[in-house]
Amino acid sequence: MSNSQGSHRAARGGRRAAARTAEPPYPQDAPAAEPPPYDAYETYETQPGQVPGPRQGGGQEEASRAGARRAARRRRSGALFGAGPDALRRIIPQALVVAFLAGGTTAFLANDKAVRLTVDGVPRTLHTFADDVDELLEDQHVSVGDHDIVAPGRHEALTGGDEVVVRYGRPVALTLDGQRRQVWTTAQTVDGALRQLGVRAEGAYLSASRSSAIGRAGMGLDVRTERQVTFLADGRERRIRTNAATVAEALEEAGISLRGQDTTSMPPSAFPRDGQTITVMRITGSRQVREEPIPYEVEKTRDDSLFAGTEVVDRPGQQGFRKVTYALRTVNGVRQKPKKVAEHVVRRPVTQTVRVGTKPLPSSVGGADHLDWDRLAHCESGGRPGAVDPTGNYGGLYQFDGRTWHALGGSGLPQHASASEQTFRAKKLYVQRGSSPWPHCGRRLYR
């Protein structure tokens, strides 16, 4: 507890004690002097700069009143000093109590401070016994929160003549150039809040006027500052300053129109940023339908009746085809890659079935293994197992015709058989007929 608080509390306690214990200031056996009448006191009303003077009136009336006051003082003096020792013993304790109360009152008055309290711009001057700012606010029932401003600080000491300022914080749901955030301000108007938050308002779009008041409950505020945006359209550059909310609005302000499939390098609904360059894309488009083949699949099965390396096609495969629709576009005169947008199958492919031989080939054919079959194959087909003559009647390493090939036990076409099987069947043919099946190249068999 501070000295000042103790002093004025002691003063109040002293007055209560005096009221309980003090006896009448006059002796019991002597009648108390009658107080002077109200008219016996002089009253003054002063104007600024005027010295109080005696009341105006007749001299006889003033003299009679002065005499009455002197008589009253003589009666009071006689009652005090004409009393005996017992009366003095009663008066002295009372005088001590009065002196104590007078000292407490002096301390009480010394701790009284005149301060100026301004709450949200409303000032008032008041007297207080608070020791610091926090105690003053509590006495005046002024509550403050984390977002409020108190100056000087809440724990600063108070002296007479101080000024305390309280500014309440207000929440603002601010959307600034498309970015939403919650901020606090102690400003009471939109204009003050913008200055306090450092938002440039010149040329900006505001959802509320700058003079609009911001209540304690706060408000929502949409601000779009003025920005510089550059458009590249039709081979020209156009630079504008705008507070538009979308690219489409900025385009309209720049006097640029979009037709048909035209668009921009940024979505028309996007927010245009300061210093941004946006390209207008002039688009022309068409559609084209193309027929495309569908490859067939090959299905192979193992067959132990065929020599290993031999494949026989039982069902030839057949390609299908489909109609594909492509979107063709040119952007600013440049053709773009076609984009497939639809397709329709006209004919489905037919799967090819093939039998694959697994029967081991004989290691040799008696009477033919010593011949030079490589030289014969090179002469007949250039050493190519899949070779076919220009007429299409002969095929393979040794240019078999189909009838001879089947007579030797071959399946399918000779050019489809493996090189080892073709050589095996050529040896069998040599055993049966010698080199006569190869009238031009047969002599190559002999080294």
Side-chain angles (χ1 to χ4, degrees):
M1 180 184 298
S2 65
N3 294 333
S4 61
Q5 289 176 328
S7 299
H8 67 252
R9 291 180 182 173
R12 290 198 295 270
R15 286 196 294 271
R16 287 195 295 267
R20 289 194 301 267
T21 61
E23 297 183 13
Y26 306 106
Q28 296 293 331
D29 52 358
E34 291 294 331
Y38 179 80
D39 291 341
Y41 297 97
E42 299 184 54
T43 304
Y44 298 95
E45 294 184 2
T46 62
Q47 300 297 327
Q50 178 182 354
V51 178
R55 294 175 57 181
Q56 303 296 321
Q60 184 177 2
E61 183 180 356
E62 289 295 330
S64 63
R65 289 182 181 177
R69 288 196 294 271
R70 285 194 294 271
R73 285 196 293 271
R74 283 195 297 270
R75 286 194 296 271
R76 288 197 297 272
S77 298
L80 177 61
F81 295 105
D86 293 335
L88 290 176
R89 282 195 296 273
R90 289 193 297 270
I91 291 173
I92 289 174
Q94 296 175 9
L96 293 175
V97 170
V98 170
F100 176 78
L101 291 176
T105 302
T106 302
F108 184 82
L109 294 175
N111 284 281
D112 179 35
K113 309 173 188 68
V115 297
R116 182 182 178 86
L117 176 63
T118 302
V119 178
D120 249 6
V122 179
R124 57 192 174 113
T125 301
L126 49 86
H127 289 264
T128 181
F129 296 100
D131 293 328
D132 56 26
V133 172
D134 198 39
E135 188 176 345
L136 170 66
L137 297 179
E138 183 179 354
D139 290 347
Q140 298 301 316
H141 307 289
V142 177
S143 59
V144 292
D146 294 337
H147 300 287
D148 303 328
I149 293 178
V150 180
R154 295 175 60 175
H155 301 293
E156 295 291 329
L158 276 180
T159 58
D162 282 350
E163 180 175 4
V164 178
V165 177
V166 177
R167 292 160 64 184
Y168 288 123
R170 291 158 167 79
V172 176
L174 177 64
T175 303
L176 178 61
D177 288 341
Q179 302 295 320
R180 183 178 177 85
R181 57 193 176 110
Q182 180 87 1
V183 297
W184 287 82
T185 179
T186 57
Q188 300 183 47
T189 64
V190 170
D191 187 58
L194 293 176
R195 288 200 306 270
Q196 195 174 87
L197 297 172
V199 176
R200 179 170 50 87
E202 290 74 13
Y205 163 83
L206 304 176
S207 60
S209 67
R210 297 171 69 167
S211 60
S212 296
I214 304 177
R216 291 284 302 278
M219 70 182 302
L221 182 62
D222 186 9
V223 180
R224 298 196 301 268
T225 59
E226 189 178 58
R227 288 145 283 136
Q228 179 174 289
V229 180
T230 302
F231 288 102
L232 299 178
D234 305 321
R236 296 172 54 195
E237 180 179 297
R238 306 183 193 182
R239 185 175 292 111
I240 65 170
R241 297 195 66 82
T242 179
N243 57 24
T246 63
V247 171
E249 292 180 14
L251 273 173
E252 185 176 353
E253 292 181 17
I256 301 173
S257 59
L258 300 180
R259 300 177 297 273
Q261 301 180 43
D262 293 350
T263 186
T264 53
S265 57
M266 285 190 61
S269 59
F271 187 88
R273 302 290 175 187
D274 186 38
Q276 197 166 42
T277 299
I278 301 171
T279 302
V280 176
M281 296 183 289
R282 302 296 187 189
I283 298 175
T284 58
S286 61
R287 296 203 169 192
Q288 185 182 65
V289 179
R290 303 175 186 174
E291 287 189 0
E292 295 182 353
I294 304 175
Y296 60 83
E297 295 181 354
V298 177
E299 183 180 290
K300 294 183 177 183
T301 57
R302 299 167 65 87
D303 188 345
D304 58 4
S305 66
L306 299 176
F307 285 111
T310 301
E311 293 186 354
V312 177
V313 177
D314 290 333
R315 183 179 67 192
Q318 186 177 11
Q319 285 186 338
F321 76 91
R322 58 191 164 197
K323 291 184 177 181
V324 182
T325 302
Y326 288 92
L328 306 179
R329 295 200 321 164
T330 60
V331 178
N332 292 337
V334 179
R335 179 173 293 182
Q336 307 295 301
K337 181 179 179 180
K339 181 179 180 181
K340 183 167 66 174
V341 295
E343 69 174 53
H344 170 65
V345 177
V346 178
R347 185 180 69 207
R348 296 188 179 278
V350 176
T351 302
Q352 178 173 286
T353 58
V354 179
R355 288 183 294 123
V356 179
T358 60
K359 181 180 179 181
L361 288 171
S363 58
S364 64
V365 175
D369 290 338
H370 64 284
L371 301 175
D372 194 345
W373 294 100
D374 287 338
R375 290 183 66 193
L376 176 63
H378 185 77
C379 179
E380 288 287 337
S381 63
R384 294 177 291 120
V388 178
D389 83 324
T391 66
N393 297 324
Y394 302 91
L397 286 170
Y398 307 100
Q399 295 292 288
F400 292 100
D401 62 78
R403 178 180 296 181
T404 302
W405 177 257
H406 294 141
L408 294 170
S411 299
L413 297 175
Q415 60 266 27
H416 294 159
S418 65
S420 58
E421 183 181 356
Q422 291 183 43
T423 301
F424 171 72
R425 300 200 184 283
K427 289 179 180 180
K428 289 180 66 176
L429 181 61
Y430 176 82
V431 171
Q432 295 175 5
R433 299 166 54 184
S435 62
S436 62
W438 305 283
H440 299 291
C441 297
R443 65 180 182 273
R444 302 293 181 92
L445 287 171
Y446 311 104
R447 300 174 181 174

